[in-house]
Amino acid sequence: MSSFQTAPSATSTGAQASPGLWLAFVILVGLNLRPFFTSSGTLARQVAQGLDMPLGSLAWLTLLPMMVMGLGAFCMPSLRRVLALRHVLITSLWLLCLGCALRWFVPNGASLIATALLCGLGVSLLQAGMPGLIKEQFPRHIAQVTGVYSATLMGGGALGAQITPWVSSLTDSWRIALAFWALPISVALWIAWKVVPRQAPGAQLSPPSLSLLARPRTWTLIVCFGLINGGYASLVTWLATFYQDRGWTAESSGSLVAVLSVAQAFAAFGLPTLAARNKDRRRWVWLALACQVAGFLAFAFVPDLAPYTWAIVIGIGLGGCFSLLLLVALDHFPDAARAGTLSALMQGGGFPIAALFPMISVQLRELSNGFQAGWILHAAMALLVAVMAWRFQPAHYAEKMKQQGHQS
């Protein structure tokens, strides 16, 4: 990675941050954005019993943070105009760290949901700012570093799913296991203090969000991002429960979620790297979507045949789509400020859409006595995104982002 070149920037001490330090920051932030999601999913039954909560109410642990993640992403371009990036990122990491740490002390379901809300607020500003920061700091390696960031984000989800049940078993406390994730966030805070430069608010002004929301293409990106992340939201919330209903233990179902997340990480890095040679990313997007369709249908109809294989296939689809859509959004503008704003808006509108699916899935489970209908729904959504992705032709990006008309 030493060949990566960053744009000049001053650290908090006035010296220019090295490419390696910037890359370490990207990796550490990525690793800390998902464990608070996947950790609670693997211990869903223990948490529900310990707090006397209905199992279905645990969907709020995904729904509310994702809603907040969307709101925060919408606010990020405006915040950059009044607050320095350093202040936004460090405050966001503090919120995420605090939200995880407070889980050690939660007395009831409402307080646990409140910690998820706090974590979601911290994550919202972090992940809204990262794509634009990557384009700014690694202008010659945007696809590769976007892949690294997405891979570490998915890898963090794998760690959350795998390590949390182990910590719970070791300490005989699901509260300690959930709070454990405050420790690696503290390391990310230390790196952020070293690497993120002191700048005046608005040092690199983002374009007003409303001007981009007037473009139909922005809404096409929002819907695509929301639908493909809806599958991820449902899986991290309910996949462990789905297999626990079939007789699996918390540890073994957590391992399945971890395998899915590891496959996501490999695809999140590998597919953007393969796509870097050609600005037309659509063939790789369609490959990832095909994996999603195959994986969800396998979970729906033959879940016991080869569950780890299905987890790998669907992980490739989810991880690949996430990182490729970030890349597609960044491709729409040549400069980091506008590209970062478009990416933030895509996430801001997309995450609230994704947040609805865990609740939809659990309602379908109640109506049909199983998760099969939910898995089929996600396969259909992947097919819909495949149709919409036809529009992502690089030759038309400049025209579409200028256009105020009715087409997207």
Side-chain angles (χ1 to χ4, degrees), residues 59 146 243 248 268 306 365 380 401:
T146 298
Y243 276 97
W248 290 40
R365 176 182 183 266
M401 297 320 294

Side-chain angles (χ1 to χ4, degrees), residues 313-336:
V313 170
I314 204 167
I316 291 170
L318 292 169
C321 273
F322 179 88
S323 56
L324 287 167
L325 280 179
L326 287 181
L327 197 55
V328 167
L330 294 177
D331 287 341
H332 275 72
F333 288 111
D335 59 286

Side-chain angles (χ1 to χ4, degrees), residues 226-237:
L227 294 180
I228 64 103
N229 279 283
Y232 174 78
S234 288
L235 284 168
V236 298
T237 306

Side-chain angles (χ1 to χ4, degrees), residues 25-392:
F25 175 71
V26 170
I27 290 170
L28 279 169
V29 169
L31 284 173
N32 281 290
L33 295 184
R34 289 296 180 266
F36 86 97
F37 270 140
T38 57
S39 59
S40 57
T42 57
L43 299 178
R45 291 195 181 280
Q46 294 94 314
V47 172
Q49 292 171 4
L51 297 177
D52 196 24
M53 297 172 65
L55 186 64
S57 65
L58 293 181
W60 289 100
L61 296 178
T62 304
L63 189 153
L64 285 180
M66 279 198 163
M67 288 291 185
V68 173
M69 283 156 62
L71 178 63
F74 269 125
C75 293
M76 184 63 173
S78 298
L79 285 175
R80 286 294 308 274
R81 304 173 78 88
V82 296
L83 294 174
L85 178 63
R86 176 182 175 85
H87 297 153
V88 174
L89 294 181
I90 290 177
T91 301
S92 300
L93 283 166
W94 271 115
L95 290 172
L96 180 57
C97 186
L98 180 63
C100 288
L102 287 175
R103 291 181 160 188
W104 197 330
F105 310 102
V106 290
N108 51 45
S111 59
L112 180 62
I113 291 171
T115 66
L117 204 58
L118 198 58
C119 290
L121 181 59
V123 167
S124 68
L125 301 178
L126 287 166
Q127 65 184 16
M130 290 303 292
L133 186 146
I134 288 169
K135 183 155 186 164
E136 176 186 326
Q137 295 298 328
F138 300 93
R140 299 182 184 179
H141 301 279
I142 298 168
Q144 292 89 336
V145 180
T146 298
V148 169
Y149 164 68
S150 301
T152 55
L153 191 149
M154 308 304 174
L159 292 174
Q162 188 65 63
I163 293 176
T164 306
W166 176 78
V167 175
S168 177
S169 178
L170 185 68
T171 62
D172 197 28
S173 170
W174 59 262
R175 287 180 172 87
I176 293 176
L178 296 183
F180 166 81
W181 295 102
L183 295 178
I185 299 168
S186 301
V187 179
L189 260 171
W190 180 77
I191 294 291
W193 192 267
K194 292 288 185 181
V195 72
V196 182
R198 295 186 187 277
Q199 292 177 329
Q204 291 181 312
L205 286 179
S206 301
S209 299
L210 289 178
S211 66
L212 294 183
L213 287 173
R215 274 79 168 168
R217 173 53 54 86
T218 303
W219 292 98
T220 302
L221 289 166
I222 285 172
V223 172
C224 289
F225 191 80
L227 294 180
I228 64 103
N229 279 283
Y232 174 78
S234 288
L235 284 168
V236 298
T237 306
W238 300 122
L239 183 61
T241 302
F242 175 58
Y243 276 97
Q244 287 170 23
D245 287 345
R246 309 181 78 82
W248 290 40
T249 65
E251 289 79 7
S252 58
S253 61
S255 295
L256 185 66
V257 177
V259 167
L260 181 146
S261 298
V262 169
Q264 283 182 283
F266 277 105
F269 174 72
L271 291 187
T273 301
L274 292 171
R277 298 182 180 182
N278 192 321
K279 278 287 185 134
D280 192 341
R281 324 289 189 181
R282 288 177 296 172
R283 71 184 71 176
W284 302 104
V285 172
W286 287 325
L287 173 62
L289 289 167
C291 289
Q292 284 195 41
V293 172
F296 277 119
L297 292 179
F299 280 144
F301 295 108
V302 285
D304 298 318
L305 180 61
Y308 285 97
T309 300
W310 309 149
I312 291 170
V313 170
I314 204 167
I316 291 170
L318 292 169
C321 273
F322 179 88
S323 56
L324 287 167
L325 280 179
L326 287 181
L327 197 55
V328 167
L330 294 177
D331 287 341
H332 275 72
F333 288 111
D335 59 286
R338 288 186 297 169
T341 299
L342 180 60
S343 175
L345 293 176
M346 179 182 73
Q347 296 176 70
F351 278 120
I353 294 172
L356 299 174
F357 281 97
M359 191 65 75
I360 293 171
S361 294
V362 78
Q363 293 301 318
L364 289 173
R365 176 182 183 266
E366 296 299 322
L367 292 173
S368 61
N369 198 31
F371 284 103
Q372 184 184 54
W375 305 146
I376 294 172
L377 173 65
H378 284 301
M381 294 300 98
L383 288 172
L384 176 60
V385 174
V387 174
M388 297 175 71
W390 178 260
R391 303 180 179 190
F392 299 146

